[in-house]
Amino acid sequence: NVSNYPPYNIVKTGSNKFDIVVALAGFNKKDINVTSENGMLTIESKVKSVVNDSIGADAKKDEKMVHKGISKRYFKKSFTIADDVEIKGAELKDGMLRVSMEKIVPEAKKLKTIEIK
């Protein structure tokens, strides 16, 4: 059972650079763990479940939920990362988590032009 939540894109940002962009409306960076181990990148919410009827942590105390369309449910998404890919960092901005990666190409495998004498 593969969940489609949260939705994500994989974007090529350069010749050897890629970003995984995950839509995380309502999440704060303190609510999310991004880890890398044994060729697996895992993005997981720290919140196992949110059981409260207020709109959120910054809601006023007299506010009550009338319609809950923005869910902050638990999720865990894992991506297989090749051995030659290095994770450069992660940033959460405007509800989008962006994890940047770069494929490291060793000097010996880079294209080089040999001068003909």
Side-chain angles (χ1 to χ4, degrees):
N1 184 12
V2 177
S3 171
N4 291 329
Y5 179 82
Y8 70 93
N9 291 334
I10 298 176
V11 182
K12 187 170 183 170
T13 60
S15 60
N16 291 317
K17 295 181 180 183
F18 296 86
D19 287 357
I20 294 176
V21 182
V22 185
L24 295 177
F27 284 89
N28 188 302
K29 64 182 179 181
K30 69 180 186 302
D31 301 327
I32 303 160
N33 275 334
V34 179
T35 56
S36 173
E37 184 180 32
N38 292 330
M40 279 298 235
L41 168 70
T42 302
I43 301 168
E44 182 176 22
S45 64
K46 294 179 188 176
V47 181
K48 294 295 180 195
S49 65
V50 176
V51 183
N52 85 26
D53 59 349
S54 67
I55 292 170
D58 49 8
K60 295 171 184 63
K61 65 181 176 184
D62 59 338
E63 291 179 334
K64 298 290 181 201
M65 187 66 67
V66 174
H67 171 79
K68 188 168 176 72
I70 300 172
S71 96
K72 227 177 150 179
R73 63 187 185 234
Y74 172 77
F75 70 88
K76 181 175 184 178
K77 249 205 193 329
S78 295
F79 301 88
T80 303
I81 306 296
D83 291 341
D84 58 355
V85 171
E86 187 177 298
I87 297 169
K88 294 297 196 177
E91 179 186 26
L92 182 65
K93 186 177 177 187
D94 301 329
M96 303 298 269
L97 175 71
R98 183 175 290 267
V99 180
S100 301
M101 295 170 284
E102 182 175 0
K103 181 176 178 161
I104 306 302
V105 181
E107 284 299 320
K109 291 191 177 183
K110 287 183 181 174
L111 174 70
K112 55 188 168 210
T113 304
I114 312 303
E115 184 182 341
I116 302 170
K117 295 182 180 180

